Amino acid sequence: MSHVKLYIPGPVEVSPATYAAMSAPMMGHRGKGFVDLYAEIQPKLQALFGTKQQVFLSTSSAWGVMEGSIRNLVKKKVLNCCNGAFSDKWFDVSKRCGKEAEAYQVEWGQPVMADEIDKRLATGEFDALTFIHNETSTGVLSPIAEIAALKKKYPDVMFITDSVSGFTTVPVNFDELGIDVLLTGSQKAFALPPGLALFAASAAAMKRAETIDDRGYYFDFIEFRANGEKSMTPSTPCISLIYGLKHQLNQMLTEGLDNRYARHARLNGMVHEWVRRNGFEFFAPEGYRSKSLTCVANNKGIDVAAFIANLKRDHSLIIDGGYGKLKGKTFRISNMGDETDESITALIGALDDALSKL
Ligand SMILES: *Cc1c(COP(=O)(O)O)cnc(C)c1O
């Protein structure tokens, strides 16, 4: 099927093999077929998350679990670490959930840093924090291990981590990090269509949730746990996406996680090389650049809309023209999911051609 190939940072390109896997026949979600499917993928998800805890399947986009984490875990006050569109929005969502919230705001393009978080948690005001591992709007990868290490110092603070666009492109080991929630979504590096979020929660997180009255229903962690113990979900799940997930998990484990991380680093490096060769700059500082996408600073002042129009017209592919207030000032190129050396080589050829026609 001819179509416009996606090099935007989500949704990303979905392979024909994944679509084929998703077309398996429908079944009841309380019957043996679904229970078997759930039980089959659960240990694979646990291997991927690096956890002995259950990994839950939420029929929602990632924001459902991002909001749900706030509702399940914040009692006193949440510290929202903000360095881009998604993390800034989480601060807004915390307030909309009726919670006391404070932003630790850094300039878009910068990482959030452990010492700054430490200073704020030291006030004793907070019982939760939100943190985005890979800020997709700016292409910034914040130092997750250093931030997670603070958990030892602040055991009563819930460390809620979004790795929606970082997960499976770089190692993230839930139990080793010792964080409380790790959440991700299907349409980024999993290379599935949107509509499924995945998350793990610590024993401490479950304990906290038990003490909170207004958790609601759809994203109630206690409901997820009770149903998960029976290899089920609280409500009717997106079964087709879960068939796709099973396929993608098998692909990932066949490739090997270390090979998968190495592939993302290598393909990201190829895009970086294109950026340098063409005299562009990176929006994120060295050492904090995402491995799943590249946020290119438009220091040369090219017409980004025309550039993307060229890509679409002559190469049937698109990249992203910059998120929100960064529109035109940056552009973003995704290399996450099922991309290969061949596909990224072809992308780079297309980028060169489209640039030369401006
Ligand atoms: C895409 C994304 C989200 C939001 O995902 P939805 O699927 O739109 O809910 C959240 N955080 C990050 C870092 C993302 O990249």
Side-chain angles (χ1 to χ4, degrees):
M1 197 171 54
S2 91
H3 69 294
V4 177
K5 191 167 178 195
L6 301 179
Y7 285 99
I8 57 175
V12 306
E13 188 70 8
V14 178
S15 76
T18 298
Y19 285 128
M22 287 179 61
S23 70
M26 205 35 57
M27 58 187 170
H29 66 294
R30 299 295 180 213
K32 185 172 184 316
F34 182 76
V35 167
D36 288 348
L37 172 63
Y38 190 106
E40 182 187 344
I41 63 173
Q42 187 58 212
K44 294 172 185 174
L45 286 171
Q46 287 170 317
L48 198 61
F49 276 68
T51 187
K52 292 192 181 70
Q53 304 297 334
Q54 293 191 52
V55 177
F56 302 114
L57 305 178
S58 171
T59 295
S60 66
S61 77
W63 270 115
V65 179
M66 292 165 80
E67 176 169 311
S69 297
I70 300 294
R71 291 198 61 180
N72 275 268
L73 301 180
V74 181
K75 231 175 180 170
K76 210 157 68 176
K77 188 174 180 184
V78 58
L79 178 67
N80 300 108
C81 302
C82 299
N83 65 335
F86 292 100
S87 45
D88 288 11
K89 184 79 194 168
W90 217 349
F91 175 48
D92 176 40
V93 169
S94 299
K95 290 182 288 185
R96 290 196 199 196
C97 289
K99 304 293 184 179
E100 285 283 314
E102 186 178 309
Y104 151 40
Q105 182 79 55
V106 304
E107 211 183 309
W108 282 30
Q110 296 302 311
V112 294
M113 301 304 273
D115 55 346
E116 291 294 323
I117 294 171
D118 190 5
K119 264 189 230 162
R120 286 159 179 84
L121 295 184
T123 62
E125 285 176 44
F126 303 100
D127 64 353
L129 75 86
T130 68
F131 152 68
I132 292 195
H133 177 210
N134 192 70
E135 216 341 314
T136 319
S137 61
T138 57
V140 171
L141 192 63
S142 287
I144 188 169
E146 285 151 48
I147 293 168
L150 291 171
K151 174 71 189 179
K152 285 204 178 71
K153 194 167 168 190
Y154 303 102
D156 297 333
V157 176
M158 293 288 118
F159 279 54
I160 307 166
T161 306
D162 160 328
S163 189
V164 175
S165 61
F167 195 60
T168 81
T169 73
V170 291
V172 181
N173 189 309
F174 182 69
D175 289 353
E176 227 169 73
L177 289 169
I179 51 179
D180 295 290
V181 173
L182 175 64
L183 69 99
T184 189
S186 56
Q187 81 276 24
K188 306 283 168 76
F190 277 87
L192 291 165
L196 173 67
L198 304 100
F199 69 105
S202 67
M206 287 298 177
K207 246 195 180 139
R208 170 73 62 81
E210 282 169 351
T211 69
I212 290 188
D213 295 327
D214 58 346
R215 303 189 300 269
Y217 167 67
Y218 197 74
F219 298 107
D220 179 3
F221 284 12
I222 305 303
E223 286 282 349
F224 274 98
R225 180 176 62 186
N227 281 276
E229 281 164 2
K230 299 180 287 185
S231 295
M232 288 185 202
T233 52
S235 52
T236 317
C238 45
I239 294 173
S240 301
L241 271 166
I242 298 171
Y243 280 129
L245 175 63
K246 173 183 154 179
H247 170 77
Q248 284 298 68
L249 285 171
N250 289 341
Q251 295 291 112
M252 286 181 205
L253 296 175
T254 301
E255 179 180 20
L257 294 182
D258 288 341
N259 291 335
R260 182 177 172 87
Y261 304 141
R263 174 168 59 84
H264 279 89
R266 187 173 70 247
L267 302 185
N268 187 251
M270 289 165 69
V271 177
H272 280 206
E273 156 57 26
W274 177 85
V275 170
R276 291 194 187 92
R277 175 160 58 77
N278 285 283
F280 286 110
E281 285 162 11
F282 298 94
F283 193 64
E286 174 100 61
Y288 299 98
R289 291 175 192 151
S290 169
K291 299 292 180 197
S292 43
L293 71 131
T294 304
C295 187
V296 185
N298 185 14
N299 52 296
K300 298 188 1 175
I302 64 161
D303 182 341
V304 171
F307 181 44
I308 295 173
N310 288 350
L311 287 167
K312 191 172 176 188
R313 184 192 61 232
D314 297 338
H315 301 278
S316 267
L317 65 88
I318 51 166
I319 61 169
D320 173 83
Y323 196 107
K325 66 184 182 189
L326 298 178
K327 193 176 164 79
K329 298 195 176 93
T330 62
F331 51 94
R332 298 179 302 161
I333 304 167
S334 169
N335 61 271
M336 66 183 129
D338 295 337
E339 299 306 324
T340 61
D341 292 81
E342 293 71 35
S343 72
I344 297 295
T345 300
L347 167 68
I348 284 166
L351 292 172
D352 279 333
D353 179 61
L355 194 59
S356 75
K357 289 174 177 160
L358 285 181

